[in-house]
Amino acid sequence: MPKVTAVRNTPPAGPSPAVFRDRAEAEAYVASVCFKHGPPRLLGVEIEWTVHHREDHSKPVDATALAAALGKHAPPTLVPDSPQQPLPGGTPLTVEPGGQVEISTPPSTSLTELLGTVADDIDHLTRLLEPHGLVLGHRGADPHRPPRRVLRVPRYAAMEQAFAPLGPEGLTMMCSTAGLQVCLDFGLKEDLPARWAAVHALGPVLMALFANSPGVGGRRTEWASARMRSLYATDPVRTRPAAVCADPAAAYARRVLDTPVIVVRRPGPNWFPPHTFSFADWIDGALPVQPTTDDLDYHLTLQFPPVRPRGYLEVRYLDTPPDGQWQPPVVLLAALFSDRSVVDGVLAATETAANRWLAAARHGLADPVLARAARDVVELGCAALHRTDLPVGQTDAIAARLHRQLAEKTGAEKTGGGRS
C-alpha cells in the first residue's frame, strides 16, 4: 500500500494523462481508483513521529540536522538530489512539513512479517537519529514546540496559505501532529459497504482507546486527542469523515469533485491557485488548461478524512502511540477485519458510539458511551486474534496489553482523572 512521497516541480515522464471532459467522467475515475475490491489479503502500516533533540525536546530541529541524520534515506522534499534509499525492510522514509519522519511499509499478506518489518524499521530509524542527538517523539502531537514549517517546498507553502484563513490549526496539523495509520483491503464487493461502515463506526472508539496527544504546543491540554482536534479544525470540507451510505464510492467521488483545489502544480515555487475553485469548476473551465488524471490523483492526496479510500482503507484516526506500544492497535484492527462475522460484530458493538468523533477527541474513554463500546470492541478483537497468523504467545501478550490499555483509560474516569 504505497504512500505518495516526493513532491516535484515537474510531472513524471510517461504516457500523457487523460483529460477529463466532464464531471461524470471524473467521478467515475475517483470511484474506480479509490474503491477497489477483491479478497482481503494485504495489510500495511504507516507511523509518523515528531523529532526532538535528546537533551532539549523544546529546541527546534532544522532541515540541515534532519538531513544529516537521515543521510541516503532522506526524501527529495528534504534533500532534492537524495537517492531516498529505502530502509532495509524496503520501507521508504518520508518527512512531513514540520520535520516529522514517517515510515510506510510495503503491503504484506502476513501480519507476523508486517510487525517484524515495522519493528526493524523503527530500530533502524532510531539508530540513524542517535549519533546526531535526535530522538523520536512518542505523542500524537508535539507538546513542547509551536508549529514551524521545516520543509520549504511548493506543496506545503500552498497548503499553509489555504489553511491560514481558517485559523492556526492547519499549520498545527501540518507541522506538530503525528499519527499511526493502518491500511486494510476493502474486501469483496458484497462486503465493501459493511467494512466501510465498520471502519468508520470504530473510529471514535479506537481514537478514544488509543488517544495519546493531550496538548499540542502548550495548547489544547484538556483534549484527549489534540491531534484530532487540530485535524478537524483545519479545513472541514476535506477533513470531516466521509459519508457512510449504500454507495460510498459515488458519495466520495462527489465530495472530491466539490472540494476546493488548494495546490496547482506548475514549474517554479508558486503552486498557489489563482482564485478559489473546486475540481468540478476546473473541469468546467476555471483554469485555461483542462485537468487530467494526474491532476485528480494529486488532488486526492490533499483529502484528509479520518478514513481515506486509496484503493484500500487507510485508517488515519489513531495518534502515534507511546514508545513500544504501536503493535496493539495494529493487531486489533487486523483482527477486527479478519472475517465477515467479526465485522458484523463490530457494527453491533459500535452502534451507540458511531459518529462520536469530537466526544472521543475531547473526552476519550471518560465518555461512558465510548467506554462501553471500547470494552465490547476489545473483547471482540481479542476473541478474533486466532484468525491472524500470529503465534499464540504473541496473541496472548497483545490481548493482555489491550486489556491493560482499556483498564488504564477507563480507570482514569473512575478515579476522577477523566476529562469533564
Side-chain angles (χ1 to χ4, degrees):
M1 297 175 182
K3 177 182 175 62
V4 173
T5 55
V7 178
R8 302 185 186 276
N9 284 7
T10 56
S16 297
V19 174
F20 290 111
R21 295 167 294 184
D22 56 43
R23 176 178 180 133
E25 192 175 62
E27 287 188 4
Y29 179 81
V30 171
S32 69
V33 300
C34 292
F35 290 78
K36 298 181 184 296
H37 47 80
R41 301 185 308 109
L42 298 175
L43 297 164
V45 171
E46 303 174 13
I47 312 181
E48 303 167 330
W49 297 270
T50 56
V51 178
H52 304 267
H53 291 278
R54 182 171 50 244
E55 302 304 326
D56 182 359
H57 283 209
S58 64
K59 179 182 177 181
V61 174
D62 62 32
T64 302
L66 193 56
L70 299 183
K72 63 186 179 182
H73 304 292
T77 49
L78 183 65
V79 180
D81 60 351
S82 172
Q84 196 184 15
Q85 292 186 13
L87 299 178
T91 298
L93 274 181
T94 53
V95 175
E96 298 300 315
Q100 309 97 307
V101 294
E102 179 174 2
I103 60 171
S104 305
T105 68
S108 177
T109 58
S110 166
L111 182 58
T112 298
E113 291 180 4
L114 178 65
L115 298 185
T117 297
V118 175
D120 290 345
D121 286 345
I122 294 173
D123 287 346
H124 192 84
L125 177 56
T126 301
R127 291 195 299 271
L128 287 175
L129 297 175
E130 186 175 6
H132 298 267
L134 301 177
V135 295
L136 298 174
H138 297 292
R139 291 285 191 183
D142 184 346
H144 306 286
R145 303 170 297 200
R148 169 180 167 270
R149 191 154 61 88
V150 171
L151 296 185
R152 301 296 167 182
V153 295
R155 172 186 172 98
Y156 297 136
M159 287 173 62
E160 183 177 350
Q161 176 179 270
F163 297 151
L166 301 173
E169 300 303 332
L171 187 64
T172 298
M173 180 275 290
M174 292 171 61
C175 300
S176 297
T177 64
L180 165 65
Q181 299 172 21
V182 181
C183 301
L184 308 162
D185 277 334
F186 268 110
L188 298 172
K189 184 175 182 179
E190 60 268 26
D191 294 332
L192 189 153
R195 288 170 72 89
W196 179 255
V199 77
H200 282 84
L202 273 172
V205 178
L206 296 191
M207 186 205 310
L209 178 60
F210 296 109
N212 186 42
S213 52
V216 53
R219 301 180 299 119
R220 311 294 180 195
T221 55
E222 72 279 15
W223 285 70
S225 179
R227 167 184 169 269
M228 186 56 69
R229 197 272 180 205
S230 292
L231 177 68
Y232 252 67
T234 290
D235 184 4
V237 72
R238 72 187 68 244
T239 60
R240 71 181 188 274
V244 175
C245 58
D247 191 351
Y252 190 70
R254 288 193 297 271
R255 165 180 166 157
V256 167
L257 269 288
D258 288 334
T259 300
V261 173
I262 59 173
V263 179
V264 177
R265 294 174 297 166
R266 59 174 72 89
N270 181 357
W271 289 10
F272 304 147
H275 53 84
T276 301
F277 59 94
S278 68
F279 202 91
D281 294 332
W282 192 355
I283 295 172
D284 290 340
L287 293 181
V289 179
Q290 288 295 103
T292 68
T293 51
D294 278 354
D295 295 314
L296 187 46
D297 287 341
Y298 199 80
H299 183 60
L300 287 168
T301 71
L302 293 159
Q303 316 302 311
F304 307 111
V307 179
R308 183 162 63 178
R310 299 187 60 186
Y312 52 89
L313 295 162
E314 185 181 72
V315 178
R316 301 170 55 87
Y317 45 66
L318 299 171
D319 288 347
T320 291
D323 188 16
Q325 296 184 32
W326 58 269
Q327 287 195 10
V330 173
V331 174
L332 179 60
L333 270 164
L336 292 171
F337 286 87
S338 60
D339 184 79
R340 183 182 304 177
S341 64
V342 185
V343 172
D344 290 341
V346 167
L347 290 170
T350 56
E351 184 176 5
T352 59
N355 298 316
R356 296 180 71 84
W357 293 95
L358 286 180
R362 175 70 176 82
H363 301 292
L365 292 191
D367 181 297
V369 175
L370 291 167
R372 286 193 296 272
R375 284 191 284 269
D376 291 342
V377 164
V378 168
E379 290 300 330
L380 180 67
C382 288
L385 289 175
H386 71 280
R387 297 181 181 276
T388 72
D389 65 355
L390 297 178
V392 172
Q394 191 170 5
T395 58
D396 288 347
I398 293 290
R401 178 61 251 181
L402 286 168
H403 282 101
R404 285 198 303 273
Q405 178 85 0
L406 183 64
E408 290 165 3
K409 293 285 187 175
T410 55
E413 176 192 2
K414 294 174 183 175
T415 59
R419 295 168 177 82
S420 59

